[in-house]
Amino acid sequence: MKICEYFMSIQGEGLMMGVPTYFVRTAGCNLHCSWCDTGYSQSPDSGKEMSIDEIMAVIGDAKHVCVTGGEPLLQEEMPELLRRLIDAGKQVVLETNGAADLSVVPNDPLILISMDIKCPSSGMQDRMNLNNLDYLTIKDQLKFIIADEVDLDYAADFITRKKLDTNIIFSPVGGMDLEPLVAEVLYRKLDVRVLLQLHKIIWGDKRAV
């Protein structure tokens, strides 16, 4: 499969924030969000071919693994890699953009699915595969990246209509300017987590490798 980069860091987003984690970023994405902060991974040509055995070797004895992209589920071998990771006892966070089919993901307590719902500012809101919501459980997380009040209205309406039984995360575009979003979430009494991107506090927008 095509791998853009791999590295050890801490998880900067979501429920596993702060946990030392080995990241595997695949190459190629089927979306082009306006505010994407990993645009260097969008093209399949941004990666090198690696076998599953090679990927498992570089991960080594890391307990926590985040498979991200690009869009990991565009890789045909991804279900096999996920099975190999859980067979090895790894706790896996699978970051997916909401437009790829989640039915191929193994149903296992060791896999935390982190799925996006793209808001209007992304330009990709009409590309979501809403059937994926059926695969999310209370161990998983659904993320909304919020740029403005239009996005906030969209996200608030979405979670009200869908009555989701999973963890809901709102983050500001850029991952840092929390105060306006927190104020609105409190005012609207939304039952969500408002989270920043911890890695950007530590390293800014610098790539990990």
Side-chain angles (χ1 to χ4, degrees):
M1 71 179 65
K2 286 291 187 78
I3 302 299
C4 177
E5 59 185 359
Y6 47 86
F7 54 91
M8 188 72 183
S9 186
I10 61 167
Q11 178 58 259
E13 305 178 12
L15 300 176
M16 301 298 290
M17 184 184 292
V19 174
T21 299
Y22 201 94
F23 288 80
V24 177
R25 186 182 306 281
T26 63
C29 189
N30 54 339
L31 300 183
H32 293 86
C33 297
S34 63
W35 35 250
C36 179
D37 59 0
T38 53
Y40 59 86
S41 68
Q42 285 190 346
S43 169
D45 295 333
S46 66
K48 65 177 181 179
E49 194 68 34
M50 293 182 69
S51 70
I52 290 177
D53 285 342
E54 289 173 326
I55 295 168
M56 294 299 295
V58 299
I59 291 170
D61 61 359
K63 180 179 179 181
H64 294 271
V65 178
C66 179
V67 182
T68 185
E71 173 46 58
L73 295 177
L74 297 183
Q75 307 289 326
E76 291 185 5
E77 295 174 280
M78 185 53 61
E80 182 181 351
L81 174 61
L82 294 173
R83 284 191 290 269
R84 287 281 299 273
L85 289 169
I86 58 180
D87 287 347
K90 312 292 189 186
Q91 175 69 58
V92 181
V93 174
L94 173 66
E95 295 189 340
T96 181
N97 64 21
D101 183 10
L102 280 179
S103 67
V104 301
V105 177
N107 180 12
D108 191 278
L110 286 176
I111 296 181
L112 186 162
I113 298 171
S114 179
M115 189 183 104
D116 289 356
I117 289 292
K118 304 300 185 184
C119 295
S121 69
S122 71
M124 296 287 115
Q125 74 272 19
D126 294 332
R127 298 282 300 278
M128 297 296 92
N129 180 352
L130 297 184
N131 292 328
N132 284 334
L133 297 173
D134 294 336
Y135 297 99
L136 301 180
T137 69
I138 197 60
K139 71 176 174 60
D140 302 313
Q141 59 192 34
L142 190 66
K143 296 195 302 180
F144 296 81
I145 307 300
I146 310 293
D148 51 33
E149 191 167 355
V150 173
D151 282 357
L152 183 58
D153 289 342
Y154 181 88
D157 179 68
F158 190 98
I159 64 174
T160 299
R161 287 187 292 106
K162 297 298 182 180
K163 306 295 184 184
L164 302 164
D165 188 22
T166 194
N167 297 284
I168 309 297
I169 295 171
F170 283 11
S171 291
V173 167
M176 296 294 290
D177 190 14
L178 291 179
E179 186 174 351
L181 182 55
V182 168
E184 281 293 324
V185 165
L186 294 175
Y187 176 74
R188 299 178 186 222
K189 299 180 180 179
L190 299 175
D191 186 17
V192 303
R193 285 179 170 87
V194 180
L195 296 180
L196 45 65
Q197 291 179 303
L198 181 60
H199 52 288
K200 291 187 178 179
I201 292 178
I202 302 170
W203 295 292
D205 287 323
K206 180 182 176 182
R207 276 183 70 173
V209 292

